[in-house]
Amino acid sequence: MEEQNNNNEKKVENAPKARRDRPERPRRSQNPHRKPKQPTKPAVDGNKQPTEKNVNGNVKKTEKEVNGNLQGASKATKPKLKQTKTNQNKKPNKPNPKANPNQNTNKAKSNYKKNSKSGGRRPKKFIPGPMSEAMKASLLENEEVNDLRMNPWKQINVENKHKVRFTPLGGLGEIGGNMAVMEDEDSAFIIDVGMSFPDETMHGVDILVPDFSYLHAIKNKIKAVIITHAHEDHIGAVPYLYKELKFPIYGTPLALAMIENKFQEHGLMDDVKYFNFVTKRKQYEVGGFKIEWMHNTHSIVDACSLAIESKAGIFIHTADFKIDHTPIDNQTMDLQRYAYYGSKGVLCLFSDSTNSHNAGFTKSEAVVGKTFDTLFDLAKGRVIMSTFSSNTHRIYQAMERGIEAGRKICVIGRSMERNIETTRRLGYVDIPDKHFIDAHEVNKYPEEQILVVTTGSQGEAMAALSRMATNEHRHIKLKPSDTIIISAHAIPGNEGSVSALMNKLVKAGVTVRYKDFDNIHVSGHAGQEEQKLILRLVQPKFFLPVHGEYNHIHKHSKTAISCGVDSRNILLMSDGDQIEITTKYLKKVKTVKTGKSYIDNQNNQEIKSDVVEDRQKISLDGVVNIAMQIDKSTKKIIGKAIITTHGIVPNKEDKRFAHEIQNIIETFLASAEEKQLSSAKNIQDELRTIVRKFIVRTKRSYPLITPIVFFV
């Protein structure tokens, strides 16, 4: 009986838990801190189910009543009990001591409120009302405005029948040598006339200039030469052009002043009369074109881009540029003019591709000055700084640091001296004469008071720095206490020369500062983000990437596509490709002759291409020289032929090799027909053929063979 009563008590205590699990019948009180009811002692009568009273005297429900209620609940909530039944084998969750005791209660409250508000139904789906005519009109107007804002070229009149042709003659497929022609039906003009550097196989060649054949073909149409800035790869070939053709030439004061220096060197001072000095933001009529120079930032003073208005439409040519917001002269890029012309509708954009693989922005020229501060502090003896002679801002920053450190400035190198004097004369560099000394005065001052600014950063053999490295300079002899700063990167193709220079300097025992400092040099060309900014300001219909190798212009085209230019409106050009541009299409129409002329800087004379080819052949395969006398009557050799070879066999084998060729010559003369021996030229040609066959068969090489025959 006592055991049964205890079981009854347990069932009664467990019964309310089943009721709590029913969310559709919430408890009257949701206070979890409320004290549970205390059970009373069971009745003595065994036939009758005892009743229990709580502390307040209320009668507690019996087991039968509780079971009856549970059965009723099971009928009302049958799916809920089924789910509970399937989970009977699961282990009960352990109580979380960190859990909030009010969490479940509050959740139940929120569910109850939601159900009570919505009446147990989902809220109705929102159905918008009809759009007003005013809203429709506003949306349409904004769509039209945005379309015109993002595609301003749609203002261009597509019924315009005029055509413009653009022909690059240099600067594509290479770094440097920039030159192009733009023409319409009646007139043409040339954009830049630059030089480039030779590769290691062009022996004795100092610079390369473009082939001017196409300019001779259209010389009657050409109205002017347009110069964007004064770098050598844009003006270096001007004097060679003016030795053949004369045209008016337009440019900023610094660009024309540096061209004047070249004219003086080449004896062309009479051609200064063709100079036309331009003012930025002002249009100049050149044939059927109107051209405006827009200021940009680059690694030289007075660099400009071009805005070109033609009968067909507006063209923008960026030339070389980067977007420097903190330039040394505080003259920022004229982005306002880019936006101005962009809003009018630009038919085609030509843009610099040199650094198209570089993500982000190109660093400001100002960061180099901070690096110079560090390098000058570290230097204990003389400082010798080498950079491009045309990089005025770089040179100016170095000279400023030198003056602050109490150093005298010595400028060495013909081009460096000339360019610094020109920029000082024009007021771009403001440094008094008292800070400069001549090369022969260097040894009069303590080492810590000397700054030498010189040429030769590209490892040129005849440049001042190279002569210092080989101890051949007349005034500067390198010492272990010297610090050499090379503030430049190797131009593609010059890596070998720069590496050789570095080796010589290190062997000389000096301290060399080159790539071990990140900001010792910064580029003057735009990175991808700057290219994107120009593309977005201009929003052109057509795009032609210029200046760089094929991989550079290809990468630039991808950047343009990401900025909204249709891929069908982009062409990748090579030198000589003539591109026709109209308001409706962009296409290649023909290819003109291009190439390079080889120049020896020692005498400023052209080296013919066959001479360069002979030099290349000698360097690769060697040379054979044959000289002999032949009796005019008997057609037999007099004595022995003089045979010399270079680059074919080692010196110790020269005699044996010469004897073999001697036998070949004698055999030929003995068996030759009369017509083969009729003249010295015929004999030379025959000897060249048979000796070449012998050397190809025995030595597997193709030397230059020069037989000389005298009839006696």
Side-chain angles (χ1 to χ4, degrees):
M1 187 72 177
E2 185 176 352
E3 184 178 352
Q4 182 180 357
N5 291 338
N6 290 336
N7 291 334
N8 291 338
E9 288 177 3
K10 289 181 181 179
K11 289 180 181 179
V12 172
E13 288 177 359
N14 291 334
K17 291 184 180 178
R19 293 169 61 94
R20 278 194 223 102
D21 290 339
R22 296 167 56 194
E24 67 278 4
R25 293 185 61 187
R27 287 176 58 86
R28 185 161 44 88
S29 175
Q30 297 293 334
N31 187 357
H33 301 289
R34 180 179 178 182
K35 294 182 180 180
K37 296 179 180 180
Q38 299 296 330
T40 57
K41 292 182 179 181
V44 180
D45 189 358
N47 298 325
K48 210 173 185 180
Q49 198 65 260
T51 59
E52 297 176 353
K53 292 185 180 181
N54 58 16
V55 179
N56 297 325
N58 297 326
V59 177
K60 200 168 184 181
K61 293 183 180 180
T62 63
E63 181 181 355
K64 184 176 181 180
E65 292 173 328
V66 172
N67 290 336
N69 290 336
L70 286 174
Q71 290 175 2
S74 65
K75 292 179 183 179
T77 59
K78 194 171 184 180
K80 182 69 177 178
L81 291 179
K82 281 186 178 180
Q83 183 178 358
T84 307
K85 185 176 181 181
T86 58
N87 294 331
Q88 283 178 354
N89 296 328
K90 288 188 178 181
K91 295 182 179 179
N93 294 330
K94 294 182 180 180
N96 185 1
K98 296 183 179 180
N100 185 355
N102 296 327
Q103 185 174 359
N104 294 333
T105 306
N106 293 335
K107 186 174 181 180
K109 280 184 177 180
S110 62
N111 289 336
Y112 177 78
K113 289 179 179 178
K114 287 179 182 178
N115 292 334
S116 61
K117 286 182 179 179
S118 61
R121 299 177 183 176
R122 291 184 180 179
K124 292 183 179 180
K125 185 178 179 180
F126 173 74
I127 300 175
M131 190 183 299
S132 67
E133 293 301 321
M135 183 177 290
K136 289 180 181 178
S138 178
L139 288 172
L140 183 60
E141 289 176 2
N142 276 286
E143 184 178 350
E144 293 174 352
V145 168
N146 285 332
D147 181 57
L148 185 59
R149 178 177 64 87
M150 298 305 297
N151 303 286
W153 52 266
K154 290 186 176 181
Q155 303 172 74
I156 298 171
N157 179 15
V158 294
E159 301 303 323
N160 187 332
K161 303 298 182 183
H162 290 285
K163 302 175 182 179
V164 169
R165 291 189 175 186
F166 181 82
T167 311
L169 300 178
L172 285 167
E174 62 178 337
I175 300 295
N178 299 290
M179 182 179 180
V181 175
M182 182 171 279
E183 57 187 299
D184 60 11
E185 296 88 345
D186 305 314
S187 59
F189 63 91
I190 304 166
I191 302 175
D192 293 329
V193 188
M195 45 124 330
S196 55
F197 289 103
D199 58 39
E200 296 176 350
T201 66
M202 301 175 186
H203 306 283
V205 178
D206 295 313
I207 64 172
L208 306 174
V209 302
D211 189 316
F212 302 134
S213 299
Y214 183 66
L215 302 184
H216 284 277
I218 63 166
K219 62 182 179 181
N220 295 329
K221 286 180 67 176
I222 298 175
K223 304 302 180 184
V225 174
I226 304 300
I227 301 298
T228 60
H229 63 285
H231 269 155
E232 289 295 312
D233 60 335
H234 291 259
I235 67 169
V238 171
Y240 300 98
L241 172 63
Y242 275 69
K243 289 177 182 179
E244 302 179 22
L245 298 167
K246 314 284 187 183
F247 306 110
I249 183 168
Y250 291 77
T252 58
L254 179 63
L256 296 186
M258 290 193 172
I259 292 174
E260 181 181 353
N261 293 338
K262 293 182 177 296
F263 280 0
Q264 184 176 6
E265 186 178 341
H266 288 260
L268 297 172
M269 285 303 291
D270 290 342
D271 292 339
V272 173
K273 64 185 178 184
Y274 293 105
F275 285 0
N276 292 274
F277 298 95
V278 302
T279 302
K280 297 165 193 172
R281 286 196 168 198
K282 181 179 177 181
Q283 283 189 329
Y284 295 83
E285 290 192 14
V286 178
F289 301 88
K290 294 181 180 179
I291 304 174
E292 176 185 331
W293 278 253
M294 305 182 296
H295 184 85
N296 73 26
T297 45
H298 188 40
S299 52
I300 191 171
V301 175
D302 249 3
C304 291
S305 303
L306 302 174
I308 304 163
E309 290 192 22
S310 71
K311 297 174 183 176
I314 298 174
F315 299 83
I316 298 292
H317 194 300
T318 66
D320 290 352
F321 80 100
K322 70 175 181 180
I323 301 177
D324 191 343
H325 298 296
T326 56
I328 303 304
D329 59 1
N330 203 33
Q331 298 296 316
T332 57
M333 191 165 180
D334 197 351
L335 298 176
Q336 296 94 328
R337 296 304 284 175
Y338 276 91
Y340 166 75
Y341 281 104
S343 66
K344 294 176 70 174
V346 172
L347 182 60
C348 186
L349 170 67
F350 311 93
S351 189
D352 176 21
S353 306
T354 307
N355 275 359
S356 57
H357 287 286
N358 294 5
F361 294 86
T362 301
K363 292 182 180 179
S364 169
E365 181 67 27
V367 305
V368 180
K370 297 178 181 179
T371 303
F372 282 166
D373 289 333
T374 302
L375 297 180
F376 275 83
D377 290 341
L378 294 173
K380 304 302 180 185
R382 297 180 300 186
V383 174
I384 302 173
M385 195 280 290
S386 178
T387 189
F388 298 105
S389 62
S390 58
N391 197 336
T392 307
H393 289 156
R394 186 76 48 82
I395 298 167
Y396 181 62
Q397 289 189 91
M399 292 192 296
E400 275 190 322
R401 269 65 183 183
I403 294 172
E404 291 173 2
R407 297 176 182 266
K408 294 291 184 179
I409 303 168
C410 175
V411 181
I412 297 178
R414 183 177 58 180
S415 61
M416 184 71 75
E417 293 173 5
R418 187 174 59 231
N419 289 345
I420 290 178
E421 183 58 35
T422 300
T423 52
R424 290 182 66 208
R425 177 163 56 92
L426 298 181
Y428 292 110
V429 176
D430 184 18
I431 295 180
D433 291 339
K434 64 180 181 179
H435 295 293
F436 292 90
I437 61 173
D438 293 329
H440 67 271
E441 299 179 281
V442 168
N443 294 327
K444 296 180 181 180
Y445 293 86
E447 294 180 2
E448 65 274 10
Q449 295 181 12
I450 295 296
L451 167 63
V452 177
V453 180
T454 186
T455 56
S457 62
Q458 296 303 301
E460 305 96 317
M462 299 304 296
L465 187 59
S466 293
R467 288 185 284 123
M468 293 177 196
T470 55
N471 201 28
E472 296 175 359
H473 197 275
R474 183 170 58 173
H475 299 292
I476 305 297
K477 306 297 180 183
L478 296 182
K479 303 176 182 179
S481 57
D482 293 339
T483 297
I484 309 291
I485 301 174
I486 300 179
S487 184
H489 283 176
I491 295 174
N494 287 358
E495 293 87 355
S497 300
V498 174
S499 179
L501 173 64
M502 292 289 294
N503 290 331
K504 294 173 184 176
L505 292 173
V506 173
K507 285 181 179 179
V510 300
T511 300
V512 181
R513 307 295 190 186
Y514 183 36
K515 291 184 178 179
D516 47 341
F517 284 82
D518 290 338
N519 295 328
I520 200 169
H521 169 76
V522 295
S523 175
H525 298 272
Q528 291 177 6
E529 294 305 315
E530 294 152 283
Q531 292 173 345
K532 290 177 183 177
L533 178 55
I534 294 300
L535 284 161
R536 285 303 190 182
L537 284 174
V538 175
Q539 303 280 32
K541 180 174 185 178
F542 300 117
F543 177 64
L544 291 174
V546 294
H547 299 177
E549 299 175 359
Y550 192 85
N551 68 90
H552 298 136
I553 64 173
H554 178 266
K555 184 63 176 179
H556 201 173
S557 70
K558 298 300 181 184
T559 301
I561 292 171
S562 70
C563 289
V565 181
D566 193 326
S567 60
R568 296 171 296 179
N569 292 346
I570 300 174
L571 275 181
L572 304 185
M573 302 179 292
S574 298
D575 286 342
D577 290 347
Q578 188 163 91
I579 308 302
E580 186 172 274
I581 308 168
T582 70
T583 56
K584 293 183 179 179
Y585 63 81
L586 175 82
K587 68 178 182 180
K588 175 183 172 182
V589 290
K590 69 176 181 178
T591 301
V592 305
K593 181 185 177 184
T594 59
K596 299 294 181 184
S597 298
Y598 308 105
I599 305 297
D600 182 353
N601 261 352
Q602 301 306 308
N603 53 21
N604 291 324
Q605 296 296 320
E606 180 182 353
I607 306 172
K608 296 301 180 181
S609 59
D610 55 348
V611 175
V612 177
E613 291 172 3
D614 287 345
R615 292 175 180 177
Q616 292 172 339
K617 194 171 189 61
I618 292 170
S619 68
L620 293 173
D621 298 309
V623 62
V624 178
N625 298 315
I626 303 171
M628 62 184 181
Q629 293 178 331
I630 295 179
D631 190 303
K632 195 171 185 180
S633 58
T634 63
K635 308 297 183 184
K636 292 183 180 181
I637 190 169
I638 299 174
K640 289 186 176 182
I642 300 173
I643 302 169
T644 58
T645 65
H646 298 280
I648 299 176
V649 296
N651 292 337
K652 64 182 180 180
E653 297 181 15
D654 277 346
K655 289 183 179 180
R656 181 184 60 79
F657 187 69
H659 181 68
E660 291 174 348
I661 295 178
Q662 177 78 29
N663 292 337
I664 292 172
I665 294 172
E666 291 175 353
T667 303
F668 162 72
L669 293 175
S671 60
E673 298 178 1
E674 185 65 27
K675 65 178 181 179
Q676 292 177 308
L677 304 177
S678 60
S679 67
K681 183 179 183 306
N682 286 348
I683 296 174
Q684 289 172 180
D685 291 341
E686 294 292 338
L687 286 177
R688 187 179 292 109
T689 301
I690 62 175
V691 172
R692 178 178 291 111
K693 288 181 179 179
F694 168 73
I695 295 176
V696 169
R697 186 178 69 253
T698 58
K699 304 299 179 184
R700 297 292 189 270
S701 63
Y702 301 83
L704 184 68
I705 301 171
T706 57
I708 302 174
V709 175
F710 299 97
F711 275 117
V712 178

